[in-house]
Amino acid sequence: MKFLQSVFSINSEMVNGELVIGGCKSSLLAKEFGTPLFIIDENDFNTRLKSWKSALDRHFGAQAGTVYYASKSFISIEVAKWISSSGIGIDVCSGGELAVALAANFDPAKIELHGNNKSEAEIRSAIKAGVAKIVIDSHQEIERVNRIAKEFGVIQTVLIRLTPGVEAHTHEFISTAHEDVKFGFSISSGDATKAAQEVEALANLHLAGIHCHIGSQIFESEGFETAATRLIEFLAQFRDRNSRELPELDLGGGYGVAYVEGETTYDPDLAMSAIASLVKDQCAKHKLVVPTVSIEPGRAISAPTTTTLYEVGTTKNVTLDEGGIRRYIAVDGGMSDNIRPALYGAEYSALLANRTSTSSEISSRLVGKHCESGDIIIREIDLPSDIGPGDLIAIPTTGAYGRSMASNYNHMPRPAVVAVNDGTARVILRRETQEDLLSLDVTEAPRVIN
Ligand SMILES: *Cc1c(COP(=O)(O)O)cnc(C)c1O
């Protein structure tokens, strides 16, 4: 079993057979904070924030817009403060995510609100807070946002989300811009044009530009380029129809990261240089002024920064029908803190974190403690045969869609998130307790509702 630096956070290393992250030993982190534990490498997070911002700035120059960190991948008040200090923006998709940003005193001028079914209350909180942009996703929402903006006596800047009809090369559930999806207005059907004209006609909306987000965990520039080409064509048609140019183009997120050996995290510079040259060429072709370009990476920033630490509880050898033996290694978490393998067959790497083993490696399946056979973290991985109760297993690259998608299945309290940096560790999101969960249960006398 080798330590794969490419899937661990920048400040992770093996020291005397033990995984050390941000200068903190795994065994001591487990002892101090318990397991399962999300360990976020603060310096790595800040480094990735800066590298996306500088890549956007370098390749788009004066036309560089904002990097909006996609908060749904993982957010907490402390993390929102890191984002705010690095000078980038944040995208929120619900009242809850907006509340976290506001609790961190995030500058509303750098907040963008997304979502295919924002409630009136969510739109109201966003406009009240003064968010920079609302990305409109449906015809009903055009009217809703206009009406609420009017109530507040403001003209709300909006983008409209378009579906460019791109089949992103990723899992169906994280592919978001082909035609048959719930998101956005279709360009090819003419719906996008209709939406733009509707927005143009309303007094309390200011249409600043267009948005798309083609999916997630994408490694090639092709999908982004096709999407950008279609969006720029749309900008040209808009100009021809309305005699003004829309100044903003938001190309969403979706940049892929390495989870297992053989994958390579999408380099921000490569991604931005490919997209920037395409955008400039297409704008020249249509005689458009290059718009201000924004992006919304989530996973690419958060995923590689975080490692989950589990403790092994039981192991089992199962004889397979086709012959041979499979070793099951069960840890103290599972689908409640990482639903991605069950949800879309996502793959992960693993490492024995607390000691060196000289035992031979055997084909193993790493599973959780939930009451589902599908509660699998890694379907097949070679791990030392002497792994047993009390050992620590580290799963790298769990920073995106791990804690943020966590559930309380089996009444499991959700794990803590600990930030490590330079030999120090601090809790930034505390572990839930059984009392937290029990406090939701109430004994109430029936009331007449009719
Ligand atoms: C999910 C999402 C993102 C971020 O996607 P990643 O794959 O995490 O980069 C960005 N924009 C929108 C609108 C999204 O829904």
Side-chain angles (χ1 to χ4, degrees):
M1 188 184 47
K2 69 171 194 266
F3 171 67
L4 254 183
Q5 179 71 68
S6 58
V7 296
F8 277 91
S9 73
I10 299 168
N11 302 290
S12 301
E13 53 183 338
M14 289 305 277
V15 181
N16 301 326
E18 178 166 3
L19 175 65
V20 174
I21 308 175
C24 301
K25 288 182 180 166
S26 299
S27 58
L28 295 181
L29 289 168
K31 201 167 154 198
E32 182 71 21
F33 303 105
T35 53
L37 186 66
F38 287 105
I39 302 159
I40 183 167
D41 181 336
E42 181 173 347
N43 167 265
D44 186 353
F45 199 102
N46 282 309
T47 304
R48 284 176 212 273
L49 288 173
K50 290 190 192 93
S51 63
W52 281 96
K53 179 166 167 39
S54 61
L56 183 76
D57 289 349
R58 187 170 318 124
H59 295 287
F60 283 97
Q63 300 320 116
T66 306
V67 175
Y68 292 98
Y69 169 74
S71 66
K72 71 173 195 265
S73 72
F74 174 64
I75 195 66
S76 73
I77 293 174
E78 180 63 22
V79 169
K81 288 178 183 164
W82 300 347
I83 295 159
S84 170
S85 326
S86 73
I88 80 170
I90 195 165
D91 99 38
V92 298
C93 297
S94 71
E97 288 172 1
L98 175 62
V100 176
L102 295 178
N105 283 323
F106 212 96
D107 177 4
K110 286 192 169 152
I111 303 178
E112 197 185 61
L113 177 67
H114 275 291
N116 73 303
N117 185 16
K118 307 166 190 78
S119 69
E120 298 235 349
E122 287 170 329
I123 296 168
R124 201 161 271 125
S125 321
I127 294 180
K128 189 171 172 206
V131 303
K133 273 161 221 156
I134 296 182
V135 182
I136 291 189
D137 196 285
S138 69
H139 291 289
Q140 289 97 335
E141 201 172 272
I142 296 173
E143 177 279 323
R144 241 172 245 163
V145 175
N146 183 66
R147 173 166 43 79
I148 297 169
K150 193 172 173 186
E151 272 174 33
F152 281 94
V154 298
I155 295 173
Q156 178 64 46
T157 298
V158 301
L159 305 180
I160 49 173
R161 177 166 179 166
L162 307 188
T163 1
V166 175
E167 302 278 347
H169 294 164
T170 187
H171 191 282
E172 183 196 344
F173 293 179
I174 47 177
S175 176
T176 50
H178 47 288
E179 292 293 339
D180 189 8
V181 285
K182 67 173 183 170
F183 299 107
F185 300 99
S186 154
I187 297 181
S188 68
S189 72
D191 208 22
T193 304
K194 214 174 126 214
Q197 299 312 119
E198 284 169 21
V199 172
E200 279 291 272
L202 293 174
N204 293 83
L205 298 182
H206 166 62
L207 182 62
I210 55 179
H211 168 276
C212 79
H213 169 70
I214 61 172
S216 199
Q217 188 61 353
I218 298 162
F219 291 99
E220 298 123 39
S221 61
E222 190 194 336
F224 295 110
E225 291 176 359
T226 310
T229 303
R230 293 185 185 160
L231 260 60
I232 291 167
E233 224 170 81
F234 182 90
L235 289 177
Q237 287 164 5
F238 181 92
R239 180 229 15 230
D240 296 344
R241 195 171 287 114
N242 298 279
S243 308
R244 78 170 178 107
E245 293 189 18
L246 292 174
E248 294 191 30
L249 179 62
D250 185 332
L251 295 173
Y255 308 97
V257 305
Y259 284 89
V260 292
E261 190 162 22
E263 289 179 335
T264 309
T265 294
Y266 209 154
D267 177 63
D269 253 317
L270 281 180
M272 290 302 104
S273 88
I275 295 173
S277 53
L278 177 116
V279 167
K280 288 170 193 166
D281 288 354
Q282 290 297 314
C283 287
K285 181 180 148 195
H286 293 287
K287 301 195 168 54
L288 281 166
V289 175
V290 176
T292 299
V293 175
S294 296
I295 52 167
E296 305 167 338
R299 182 196 309 275
I301 292 168
S302 58
T305 65
T306 301
T307 301
T308 305
L309 205 57
Y310 295 110
E311 187 178 302
V312 175
T314 57
T315 62
K316 204 172 274 182
N317 289 338
V318 174
T319 308
L320 303 175
D321 287 344
E322 62 269 28
I325 282 178
R326 186 189 324 276
R327 185 171 177 77
Y328 277 82
I329 300 172
V331 297
D332 53 357
M335 66 195 298
S336 57
D337 58 73
N338 189 352
I339 192 66
R340 297 186 64 253
L343 194 58
Y344 21 71
E347 295 187 326
Y348 284 91
S349 316
L351 187 73
L352 174 60
N354 56 313
R355 65 181 173 91
T356 316
S357 168
T358 51
S359 297
S360 59
E361 297 197 347
I362 52 169
S363 168
S364 308
R365 179 167 288 178
L366 193 68
V367 298
K369 62 176 285 166
H370 294 279
C371 305
E372 304 266 334
S373 296
D375 176 26
I376 295 170
I377 300 164
I378 301 177
R379 186 162 280 278
E380 174 113 48
I381 182 170
D382 288 336
L383 287 173
S385 56
D386 67 344
I387 287 181
D391 275 329
L392 296 175
I393 302 282
I395 308 288
T397 341
T398 56
Y401 310 108
R403 180 59 180 77
S404 75
M405 283 188 169
S407 75
N408 294 118
Y409 181 41
N410 287 133
H411 261 252
M412 291 265 287
R414 288 174 297 176
V417 181
V418 164
V420 292
N421 193 22
D422 236 348
T424 67
R426 60 190 171 123
V427 176
I428 60 168
L429 205 52
R430 75 162 169 83
R431 186 179 301 283
E432 271 178 338
T433 61
Q434 284 187 359
E435 293 72 57
D436 286 331
L437 300 186
L438 290 175
S439 71
L440 299 174
D441 290 78
V442 291
T443 307
E444 202 188 29
R447 285 173 289 153
V448 177
I449 308 284
N450 64 11

